[in-house]
Amino acid sequence: MDTQSTSSIQWKQMISLLALYASVIIGWIAYHRYQPALLDTFNMTEFEPMLIWGQAIILILTPPLAGYLGDKYRNKLGNRLRIITLGVSFAAMIFMTVAFTLIVNPPRSFVIYALPVLVILWLFAMSLFTSPAISTIEMFSPSTKLPITVAALTITSDLLYSLEPVIVDIIDFLGGAATFAVGGIIVSVSGYLLRKNSLKLTDDGQETRPDDFRPKSKMGKVILLGVGMGLFSGIIIEVFPEYLNKLQSIMGMSGQWVSSLVLILTAIFSIIISRKVTKDNIVKLLLIGLVFAGISTVGVFTIPSNMLIIIALIIFAVFYAMINVTALPLALQNTSVKQKVLGVGVFFCGFEIPNSLIDVLFL
């Protein structure tokens, strides 16, 4: 790879990564839609607390494990694609198995044992490749432009979650079996494209870039960065939709759609802010984002005036965007070159802690 390519964003590879990341998010939306429905269909609602606790444990513990394995393969074989391929293949297989189970409609005596196991395996498979896949973002972008590529991930995530009501309608139209079958195909195709478009980079020995050399990893900071970002993500995705139903009289839409608008604003602000982030101001911007996102969140829950709540939500979108485009790049700055995949895994471990706590509290 020439000097020019190492100083510019590899958008072809980035688009492949964004496609895989999008398939993960759509998979999560489908899971959250169908997990309660599946348990209700097979009269297994008593398993819901167990699955939520299992989900919390898996989503917290699997990313660091996947990161460790990704680094192990990268150091031995020159790339981390094997663990990504393994996770993608495993996830696609589980998608198809669930689809087949729904088609044949087996007796409850079989499902009562198989379904919880399939759900747990699916959670593990999806978590297994997400961190190693996202860690490839450093292969496709110089460190000076990392906030821009992270903003692309943020925009993908925010826009898809903002469209969750529409995606749920499509999922309901397709039905459970077709949804999981299509999910398996999408994950497989996007995983294949990422592997295909990334092979030349890794085979040419580009896993170690000129701007990669960093001191020893500071995993304590990395996990705290994940927790900070995950806290606000959990609030806007899990808490806001229900709470903001109170704005329906003034905005004429449900709390889910109000949250969607906030996510769209976040995506727009992420584009703008990502171009202002530098190595010198990244810590300052993150701290400002955390403080004012926290203040605006408190305002949303305590201000009695609905009009002022709307203003607080706009302020929240600005500073939440600031967190989104600085947290992961800063985490990567605090990760050594030999542990970069583990660093992403630890970051997402921290990210899932508040999200999982919110899910458990809502039991």
Side-chain angles (χ1 to χ4, degrees):
M1 185 176 293
D2 56 30
T3 303
Q4 183 179 357
S5 63
T6 59
S7 62
S8 61
I9 298 171
Q10 307 298 305
W11 281 112
K12 181 179 180 181
Q13 288 79 9
M14 268 301 302
I15 290 171
S16 301
L17 175 59
L18 293 174
L20 182 60
Y21 190 49
S23 72
V24 171
I25 293 170
I26 293 172
W28 279 119
I29 293 173
Y31 168 77
H32 284 294
R33 175 63 178 170
Y34 269 108
Q35 186 241 59
L38 287 174
L39 295 178
D40 186 59
T41 299
F42 294 104
N43 297 314
M44 297 172 59
T45 53
E46 69 271 17
F47 286 94
E48 185 172 8
M50 180 196 76
L51 289 177
I52 289 177
W53 277 102
Q55 171 185 314
I57 293 169
I58 289 171
L59 294 184
I60 290 172
L61 297 183
T62 304
L65 172 63
Y68 168 78
L69 294 174
D71 281 324
K72 181 178 180 180
Y73 282 119
R74 182 171 63 90
N75 294 331
K76 280 189 175 182
L77 305 176
N79 65 71
R80 72 207 79 177
L81 295 179
R82 182 167 296 186
I83 189 66
I84 298 173
T85 303
L86 175 63
V88 167
S89 302
F90 193 19
M93 180 185 71
I94 300 298
F95 264 118
M96 293 303 183
T97 304
V98 173
F100 179 75
T101 302
L102 294 175
I103 291 173
V104 300
N105 194 22
R108 186 176 186 274
S109 58
F110 170 79
V111 175
I112 197 171
Y113 296 107
L115 188 59
V117 173
L118 286 175
V119 170
I120 294 298
L121 287 176
W122 183 85
L123 291 168
F124 177 75
M126 292 291 279
S127 299
L128 188 64
F129 71 81
T130 302
S131 296
I134 291 177
S135 73
T136 61
I137 195 170
E138 280 205 317
M139 293 164 53
F140 312 148
S141 172
S143 61
T144 55
K145 296 184 179 179
L146 200 55
I148 296 176
T149 48
V150 170
L153 288 175
T154 297
I155 292 165
T156 300
S157 172
D158 290 345
L159 291 181
L160 284 173
Y161 277 117
S162 73
L163 293 172
E164 184 171 353
V166 176
I167 295 172
V168 167
D169 287 342
I170 295 172
I171 288 170
D172 289 340
F173 174 78
L174 291 175
T179 295
F180 281 98
V182 171
I185 294 170
I186 292 174
V187 168
S188 297
V189 171
S190 56
Y192 168 76
L193 290 175
L194 178 64
R195 176 180 174 82
K196 178 184 177 182
N197 291 329
S198 302
L199 273 175
K200 186 177 187 302
L201 292 179
T202 56
D203 287 345
D204 286 348
Q206 297 298 324
E207 281 275 356
T208 302
R209 302 170 62 109
D211 53 9
D212 269 343
F213 298 99
R214 300 166 190 150
K216 186 177 179 181
S217 298
K218 300 174 183 176
M219 293 302 178
K221 288 186 178 180
V222 172
I223 197 168
L224 286 176
L225 289 166
V227 169
M229 182 173 167
L231 175 61
F232 294 107
S233 172
I235 289 172
I236 192 171
I237 294 173
E238 303 288 346
V239 182
F240 274 1
E242 184 70 24
Y243 181 78
L244 295 179
N245 281 326
K246 63 186 293 183
L247 299 180
Q248 190 159 4
S249 60
I250 190 172
M251 298 193 69
M253 61 182 69
S254 69
Q256 180 69 65
W257 277 110
V258 175
S259 297
S260 295
L261 288 177
V262 175
L263 286 168
I264 291 171
L265 283 175
T266 300
I268 294 170
F269 290 130
S270 295
I271 298 172
I272 299 169
I273 295 170
S274 67
R275 298 181 177 276
K276 307 295 183 182
V277 180
T278 66
K279 188 174 181 180
D280 293 330
N281 69 11
I282 188 170
V283 175
K284 179 181 177 181
L285 289 176
L286 175 67
L287 292 175
I288 291 173
L290 289 170
V291 170
F292 285 97
I295 292 172
S296 57
T297 301
V298 172
V300 169
F301 291 114
T302 58
I303 293 173
S305 167
N306 287 344
M307 285 301 300
L308 291 178
I309 288 175
I310 294 172
I311 295 173
L313 287 171
I314 296 172
I315 295 172
F316 173 85
V318 174
F319 293 103
Y320 179 51
M322 198 174 288
I323 296 169
N324 278 347
V325 300
T326 56
L328 181 56
L330 190 57
L332 290 170
Q333 284 185 19
N334 283 278
T335 306
S336 70
V337 65
K338 290 186 177 181
Q339 294 183 312
K340 62 172 67 176
V341 193
L342 177 60
V344 175
V346 171
F347 177 84
F348 279 100
C349 166
F351 179 88
E352 290 297 341
I353 290 174
N355 283 273
S356 297
L357 286 174
I358 291 171
D359 286 338
V360 169
L361 290 173
F362 273 76
L363 272 175

Short mmCIF file of all heavy atoms in Angstrom, two decimals, residues 7-9 11 14 17 134-154 209 211-212 214 270 274-275 277-279 282 324-334 344:
data_model
loop_
_atom_site.label_atom_id
_atom_site.label_comp_id
_atom_site.label_asym_id
_atom_site.label_seq_id
_atom_site.Cartn_x
_atom_site.Cartn_y
_atom_site.Cartn_z
N SER A 7 -2.62 7.45 4.20
CA SER A 7 -3.01 8.72 4.78
C SER A 7 -4.44 9.12 4.43
O SER A 7 -4.86 10.23 4.72
CB SER A 7 -2.04 9.83 4.32
OG SER A 7 -2.11 9.97 2.92
N SER A 8 -5.16 8.23 3.78
CA SER A 8 -6.54 8.50 3.41
C SER A 8 -7.42 7.34 3.87
O SER A 8 -6.96 6.23 4.13
CB SER A 8 -6.67 8.71 1.90
OG SER A 8 -6.25 7.54 1.21
N ILE A 9 -8.71 7.61 3.96
CA ILE A 9 -9.67 6.60 4.38
C ILE A 9 -9.94 5.62 3.24
O ILE A 9 -10.15 6.03 2.11
CB ILE A 9 -10.99 7.27 4.83
CG1 ILE A 9 -10.74 8.20 6.02
CG2 ILE A 9 -12.03 6.22 5.18
CD1 ILE A 9 -11.93 9.06 6.39
N TRP A 11 -12.42 3.83 1.75
CA TRP A 11 -13.88 3.82 1.83
C TRP A 11 -14.50 2.52 1.34
O TRP A 11 -15.57 2.13 1.81
CB TRP A 11 -14.45 5.01 1.07
CG TRP A 11 -14.35 6.29 1.86
CD1 TRP A 11 -13.57 7.37 1.58
CD2 TRP A 11 -15.03 6.59 3.08
NE1 TRP A 11 -13.71 8.33 2.55
CE2 TRP A 11 -14.61 7.88 3.48
CE3 TRP A 11 -15.95 5.90 3.88
CZ2 TRP A 11 -15.09 8.50 4.64
CZ3 TRP A 11 -16.42 6.51 5.03
CH2 TRP A 11 -16.00 7.78 5.40
N MET A 14 -14.40 0.44 4.30
CA MET A 14 -15.28 1.01 5.31
C MET A 14 -16.73 0.69 5.01
O MET A 14 -17.52 0.39 5.92
CB MET A 14 -15.09 2.53 5.39
CG MET A 14 -14.05 2.98 6.40
SD MET A 14 -14.40 2.47 8.10
CE MET A 14 -16.02 3.20 8.38
N LEU A 17 -17.46 -2.72 6.16
CA LEU A 17 -17.59 -2.76 7.62
C LEU A 17 -18.94 -2.18 8.05
O LEU A 17 -19.61 -2.74 8.92
CB LEU A 17 -16.46 -1.97 8.27
CG LEU A 17 -16.52 -1.81 9.80
CD1 LEU A 17 -16.53 -3.17 10.48
CD2 LEU A 17 -15.35 -0.97 10.29
N ILE A 134 -15.20 -4.41 14.19
CA ILE A 134 -15.11 -2.97 14.38
C ILE A 134 -13.66 -2.52 14.55
O ILE A 134 -13.28 -1.43 14.13
CB ILE A 134 -15.98 -2.53 15.57
CG1 ILE A 134 -17.46 -2.70 15.21
CG2 ILE A 134 -15.70 -1.07 15.95
CD1 ILE A 134 -18.41 -2.37 16.32
N SER A 135 -12.83 -3.40 15.12
CA SER A 135 -11.42 -3.04 15.30
C SER A 135 -10.71 -2.86 13.96
O SER A 135 -9.66 -2.20 13.91
CB SER A 135 -10.69 -4.10 16.13
OG SER A 135 -10.49 -5.29 15.37
N THR A 136 -11.25 -3.41 12.88
CA THR A 136 -10.62 -3.24 11.56
C THR A 136 -10.71 -1.79 11.09
O THR A 136 -10.06 -1.43 10.11
CB THR A 136 -11.27 -4.15 10.50
OG1 THR A 136 -12.66 -3.82 10.35
CG2 THR A 136 -11.14 -5.62 10.87
N ILE A 137 -11.49 -0.97 11.78
CA ILE A 137 -11.62 0.43 11.37
C ILE A 137 -10.27 1.13 11.34
O ILE A 137 -10.04 2.03 10.52
CB ILE A 137 -12.60 1.16 12.31
CG1 ILE A 137 -13.04 2.50 11.70
CG2 ILE A 137 -11.99 1.39 13.70
CD1 ILE A 137 -14.18 3.15 12.46
N GLU A 138 -9.33 0.70 12.18
CA GLU A 138 -8.00 1.32 12.19
C GLU A 138 -7.18 0.92 10.96
O GLU A 138 -6.25 1.64 10.60
CB GLU A 138 -7.24 0.91 13.45
CG GLU A 138 -7.63 1.69 14.68
CD GLU A 138 -6.52 1.73 15.69
OE1 GLU A 138 -5.88 0.70 15.93
OE2 GLU A 138 -6.27 2.81 16.24
N MET A 139 -7.53 -0.20 10.34
CA MET A 139 -6.85 -0.59 9.11
C MET A 139 -7.27 0.31 7.95
O MET A 139 -6.54 0.48 6.99
CB MET A 139 -7.18 -2.05 8.75
CG MET A 139 -6.63 -3.09 9.70
SD MET A 139 -7.46 -4.68 9.45
CE MET A 139 -7.23 -4.92 7.69
N PHE A 140 -8.49 0.85 8.06
CA PHE A 140 -9.07 1.58 6.94
C PHE A 140 -8.94 3.08 7.07
O PHE A 140 -9.39 3.83 6.20
CB PHE A 140 -10.56 1.23 6.80
CG PHE A 140 -10.86 -0.24 6.84
CD1 PHE A 140 -12.05 -0.70 7.39
CD2 PHE A 140 -9.96 -1.17 6.34
CE1 PHE A 140 -12.35 -2.05 7.43
CE2 PHE A 140 -10.24 -2.53 6.39
CZ PHE A 140 -11.43 -2.97 6.94
N SER A 141 -8.35 3.55 8.17
CA SER A 141 -8.31 4.99 8.41
C SER A 141 -7.06 5.37 9.19
O SER A 141 -6.73 4.72 10.18
CB SER A 141 -9.56 5.41 9.20
OG SER A 141 -9.48 6.75 9.61
N PRO A 142 -6.36 6.44 8.79
CA PRO A 142 -5.26 6.94 9.61
C PRO A 142 -5.82 7.51 10.90
O PRO A 142 -6.98 7.92 10.98
CB PRO A 142 -4.64 8.03 8.74
CG PRO A 142 -5.74 8.47 7.83
CD PRO A 142 -6.56 7.24 7.57
N SER A 143 -5.01 7.55 11.94
CA SER A 143 -5.48 7.99 13.26
C SER A 143 -6.04 9.40 13.23
O SER A 143 -6.98 9.72 13.97
CB SER A 143 -4.35 7.89 14.29
OG SER A 143 -3.27 8.73 13.91
N THR A 144 -5.51 10.26 12.36
CA THR A 144 -5.99 11.64 12.31
C THR A 144 -7.43 11.74 11.79
O THR A 144 -8.13 12.72 12.06
CB THR A 144 -5.08 12.50 11.42
OG1 THR A 144 -4.97 11.88 10.13
CG2 THR A 144 -3.70 12.64 12.04
N LYS A 145 -7.85 10.72 11.04
CA LYS A 145 -9.20 10.75 10.47
C LYS A 145 -10.12 9.72 11.12
O LYS A 145 -11.23 9.49 10.64
CB LYS A 145 -9.13 10.51 8.96
CG LYS A 145 -8.38 11.61 8.22
CD LYS A 145 -8.39 11.42 6.72
CE LYS A 145 -7.66 12.56 6.02
NZ LYS A 145 -7.64 12.41 4.55
N LEU A 146 -9.66 9.13 12.22
CA LEU A 146 -10.46 8.12 12.89
C LEU A 146 -11.81 8.65 13.38
O LEU A 146 -12.82 7.95 13.27
CB LEU A 146 -9.66 7.53 14.06
CG LEU A 146 -10.11 6.15 14.58
CD1 LEU A 146 -10.13 5.12 13.46
CD2 LEU A 146 -9.18 5.69 15.70
N PRO A 147 -11.89 9.88 13.92
CA PRO A 147 -13.22 10.38 14.32
C PRO A 147 -14.22 10.41 13.17
O PRO A 147 -15.42 10.23 13.39
CB PRO A 147 -12.92 11.79 14.83
CG PRO A 147 -11.50 11.72 15.30
CD PRO A 147 -10.82 10.81 14.32
N ILE A 148 -13.75 10.63 11.94
CA ILE A 148 -14.67 10.66 10.79
C ILE A 148 -15.21 9.27 10.50
O ILE A 148 -16.42 9.09 10.27
CB ILE A 148 -13.94 11.24 9.55
CG1 ILE A 148 -13.56 12.69 9.79
CG2 ILE A 148 -14.81 11.11 8.31
CD1 ILE A 148 -12.75 13.32 8.68
N THR A 149 -14.34 8.26 10.55
CA THR A 149 -14.81 6.90 10.28
C THR A 149 -15.66 6.38 11.43
O THR A 149 -16.63 5.65 11.21
CB THR A 149 -13.61 5.96 10.02
OG1 THR A 149 -12.62 6.15 11.05
CG2 THR A 149 -12.97 6.24 8.68
N VAL A 150 -15.33 6.76 12.66
CA VAL A 150 -16.17 6.39 13.80
C VAL A 150 -17.53 7.08 13.67
O VAL A 150 -18.57 6.50 13.99
CB VAL A 150 -15.49 6.75 15.13
CG1 VAL A 150 -16.47 6.61 16.29
CG2 VAL A 150 -14.28 5.85 15.36
N ALA A 151 -17.53 8.32 13.16
CA ALA A 151 -18.80 9.02 12.93
C ALA A 151 -19.65 8.25 11.92
O ALA A 151 -20.89 8.21 12.04
CB ALA A 151 -18.53 10.44 12.43
N ALA A 152 -19.00 7.63 10.93
CA ALA A 152 -19.75 6.82 9.96
C ALA A 152 -20.45 5.65 10.65
O ALA A 152 -21.61 5.32 10.35
CB ALA A 152 -18.82 6.32 8.87
N LEU A 153 -19.75 5.01 11.61
CA LEU A 153 -20.38 3.94 12.39
C LEU A 153 -21.54 4.50 13.22
O LEU A 153 -22.61 3.89 13.29
CB LEU A 153 -19.35 3.30 13.32
CG LEU A 153 -18.28 2.40 12.72
CD1 LEU A 153 -17.30 1.97 13.80
CD2 LEU A 153 -18.89 1.18 12.05
N THR A 154 -21.31 5.65 13.82
CA THR A 154 -22.35 6.28 14.64
C THR A 154 -23.58 6.61 13.82
O THR A 154 -24.71 6.36 14.23
CB THR A 154 -21.80 7.58 15.28
OG1 THR A 154 -20.73 7.25 16.15
CG2 THR A 154 -22.88 8.30 16.06
N ARG A 209 0.44 -0.10 11.19
CA ARG A 209 0.55 1.12 10.42
C ARG A 209 1.54 2.07 11.08
O ARG A 209 1.84 1.95 12.26
CB ARG A 209 -0.83 1.78 10.30
CG ARG A 209 -1.86 0.87 9.65
CD ARG A 209 -3.23 1.47 9.78
NE ARG A 209 -3.27 2.75 9.08
CZ ARG A 209 -3.94 2.95 7.95
NH1 ARG A 209 -4.62 1.97 7.41
NH2 ARG A 209 -3.93 4.13 7.37
N ASP A 211 1.25 4.96 12.28
CA ASP A 211 0.76 5.72 13.43
C ASP A 211 0.24 4.82 14.54
O ASP A 211 -0.48 5.25 15.41
CB ASP A 211 -0.33 6.69 12.99
CG ASP A 211 -1.45 6.01 12.21
OD1 ASP A 211 -1.44 4.76 12.16
OD2 ASP A 211 -2.32 6.72 11.66
N ASP A 212 0.59 3.52 14.48
CA ASP A 212 0.03 2.55 15.42
C ASP A 212 0.82 2.42 16.72
O ASP A 212 0.34 1.80 17.66
CB ASP A 212 -0.02 1.17 14.77
CG ASP A 212 -1.34 0.93 14.05
OD1 ASP A 212 -2.29 1.68 14.33
OD2 ASP A 212 -1.41 0.02 13.23
N ARG A 214 2.07 2.73 20.13
CA ARG A 214 1.55 3.39 21.33
C ARG A 214 2.14 2.73 22.56
O ARG A 214 2.61 1.61 22.51
CB ARG A 214 0.03 3.27 21.36
CG ARG A 214 -0.62 3.91 20.15
CD ARG A 214 -2.06 3.48 20.05
NE ARG A 214 -2.59 3.92 18.75
CZ ARG A 214 -3.52 3.30 18.09
NH1 ARG A 214 -4.05 2.20 18.55
NH2 ARG A 214 -3.95 3.76 16.94
N SER A 270 -22.99 14.44 14.50
CA SER A 270 -21.78 13.62 14.47
C SER A 270 -20.92 13.95 13.25
O SER A 270 -19.69 13.97 13.33
CB SER A 270 -22.14 12.13 14.46
OG SER A 270 -22.78 11.75 15.65
N SER A 274 -17.26 15.51 14.02
CA SER A 274 -16.13 14.62 13.68
C SER A 274 -15.04 15.35 12.93
O SER A 274 -13.86 15.00 13.01
CB SER A 274 -16.63 13.43 12.85
OG SER A 274 -17.09 13.86 11.57
N ARG A 275 -15.38 16.40 12.21
CA ARG A 275 -14.39 17.16 11.44
C ARG A 275 -13.64 18.17 12.30
O ARG A 275 -12.66 18.77 11.85
CB ARG A 275 -15.08 17.88 10.27
CG ARG A 275 -15.73 16.90 9.29
CD ARG A 275 -16.39 17.61 8.12
NE ARG A 275 -16.94 16.66 7.17
CZ ARG A 275 -16.26 16.06 6.21
NH1 ARG A 275 -14.96 16.33 6.06
NH2 ARG A 275 -16.83 15.21 5.38
N VAL A 277 -12.60 17.28 15.49
CA VAL A 277 -11.83 16.54 16.49
C VAL A 277 -10.38 16.39 16.05
O VAL A 277 -10.10 15.99 14.93
CB VAL A 277 -12.45 15.13 16.73
CG1 VAL A 277 -11.63 14.38 17.78
CG2 VAL A 277 -13.90 15.26 17.18
N THR A 278 -9.46 16.71 16.95
CA THR A 278 -8.04 16.51 16.71
C THR A 278 -7.45 15.75 17.89
O THR A 278 -8.09 15.59 18.93
CB THR A 278 -7.29 17.84 16.55
OG1 THR A 278 -7.34 18.55 17.81
CG2 THR A 278 -7.92 18.70 15.46
N LYS A 279 -6.22 15.31 17.74
CA LYS A 279 -5.55 14.59 18.82
C LYS A 279 -5.40 15.47 20.06
O LYS A 279 -5.42 14.98 21.19
CB LYS A 279 -4.18 14.10 18.34
CG LYS A 279 -3.48 13.18 19.32
CD LYS A 279 -2.20 12.62 18.74
CE LYS A 279 -1.52 11.67 19.71
NZ LYS A 279 -0.26 11.11 19.16
N ILE A 282 -9.32 16.03 21.69
CA ILE A 282 -10.25 14.92 21.80
C ILE A 282 -10.70 14.67 23.25
O ILE A 282 -11.87 14.42 23.51
CB ILE A 282 -9.65 13.63 21.18
CG1 ILE A 282 -10.72 12.52 21.13
CG2 ILE A 282 -8.41 13.16 21.92
CD1 ILE A 282 -10.29 11.31 20.31
N ASN A 324 -20.03 10.21 20.97
CA ASN A 324 -19.98 9.13 19.98
C ASN A 324 -18.73 9.19 19.11
O ASN A 324 -18.17 8.15 18.75
CB ASN A 324 -21.22 9.17 19.09
CG ASN A 324 -22.42 8.51 19.73
OD1 ASN A 324 -22.29 7.80 20.73
ND2 ASN A 324 -23.59 8.73 19.17
N VAL A 325 -18.30 10.40 18.73
CA VAL A 325 -17.18 10.51 17.80
C VAL A 325 -15.83 10.61 18.50
O VAL A 325 -14.79 10.63 17.84
CB VAL A 325 -17.36 11.71 16.84
CG1 VAL A 325 -18.63 11.56 16.03
CG2 VAL A 325 -17.36 13.03 17.60
N THR A 326 -15.83 10.67 19.84
CA THR A 326 -14.55 10.77 20.56
C THR A 326 -14.24 9.56 21.43
O THR A 326 -13.06 9.26 21.65
CB THR A 326 -14.53 12.03 21.46
OG1 THR A 326 -15.65 12.00 22.35
CG2 THR A 326 -14.58 13.29 20.62
N ALA A 327 -15.26 8.85 21.92
CA ALA A 327 -15.02 7.79 22.91
C ALA A 327 -14.20 6.64 22.34
O ALA A 327 -13.18 6.23 22.92
CB ALA A 327 -16.35 7.28 23.46
N LEU A 328 -14.61 6.09 21.19
CA LEU A 328 -13.88 4.96 20.63
C LEU A 328 -12.49 5.34 20.13
O LEU A 328 -11.52 4.63 20.42
CB LEU A 328 -14.69 4.30 19.51
CG LEU A 328 -14.06 3.07 18.84
CD1 LEU A 328 -13.73 1.99 19.88
CD2 LEU A 328 -14.98 2.50 17.76
N PRO A 329 -12.32 6.45 19.40
CA PRO A 329 -10.95 6.85 19.03
C PRO A 329 -10.04 7.04 20.24
O PRO A 329 -8.86 6.66 20.20
CB PRO A 329 -11.16 8.17 18.28
CG PRO A 329 -12.53 8.08 17.72
CD PRO A 329 -13.32 7.33 18.77
N LEU A 330 -10.57 7.61 21.32
CA LEU A 330 -9.75 7.80 22.52
C LEU A 330 -9.42 6.46 23.16
O LEU A 330 -8.31 6.27 23.67
CB LEU A 330 -10.48 8.70 23.52
CG LEU A 330 -9.65 9.19 24.71
CD1 LEU A 330 -8.41 9.94 24.25
CD2 LEU A 330 -10.49 10.08 25.62
N ALA A 331 -10.38 5.52 23.12
CA ALA A 331 -10.10 4.18 23.63
C ALA A 331 -8.98 3.52 22.84
O ALA A 331 -8.09 2.88 23.42
CB ALA A 331 -11.37 3.32 23.57
N LEU A 332 -8.99 3.69 21.53
CA LEU A 332 -7.95 3.10 20.69
C LEU A 332 -6.60 3.77 20.95
O LEU A 332 -5.56 3.13 20.86
CB LEU A 332 -8.35 3.22 19.22
CG LEU A 332 -9.51 2.32 18.79
CD1 LEU A 332 -9.98 2.68 17.38
CD2 LEU A 332 -9.12 0.85 18.86
N GLN A 333 -6.62 5.06 21.28
CA GLN A 333 -5.36 5.74 21.62
C GLN A 333 -4.75 5.18 22.90
O GLN A 333 -3.55 5.28 23.10
CB GLN A 333 -5.62 7.25 21.79
CG GLN A 333 -5.80 8.01 20.51
CD GLN A 333 -5.93 9.50 20.74
OE1 GLN A 333 -5.55 10.02 21.78
NE2 GLN A 333 -6.46 10.21 19.75
N ASN A 334 -5.58 4.61 23.75
CA ASN A 334 -5.11 4.06 25.02
C ASN A 334 -4.89 2.55 24.95
O ASN A 334 -4.82 1.89 25.98
CB ASN A 334 -6.11 4.39 26.14
CG ASN A 334 -6.00 5.82 26.61
OD1 ASN A 334 -5.16 6.16 27.42
ND2 ASN A 334 -6.85 6.68 26.06
N VAL A 344 -10.83 -2.87 21.74
CA VAL A 344 -12.21 -2.66 21.26
C VAL A 344 -13.17 -3.56 22.03
O VAL A 344 -14.28 -3.14 22.40
CB VAL A 344 -12.30 -2.93 19.74
CG1 VAL A 344 -13.76 -2.85 19.27
CG2 VAL A 344 -11.46 -1.93 18.97
#
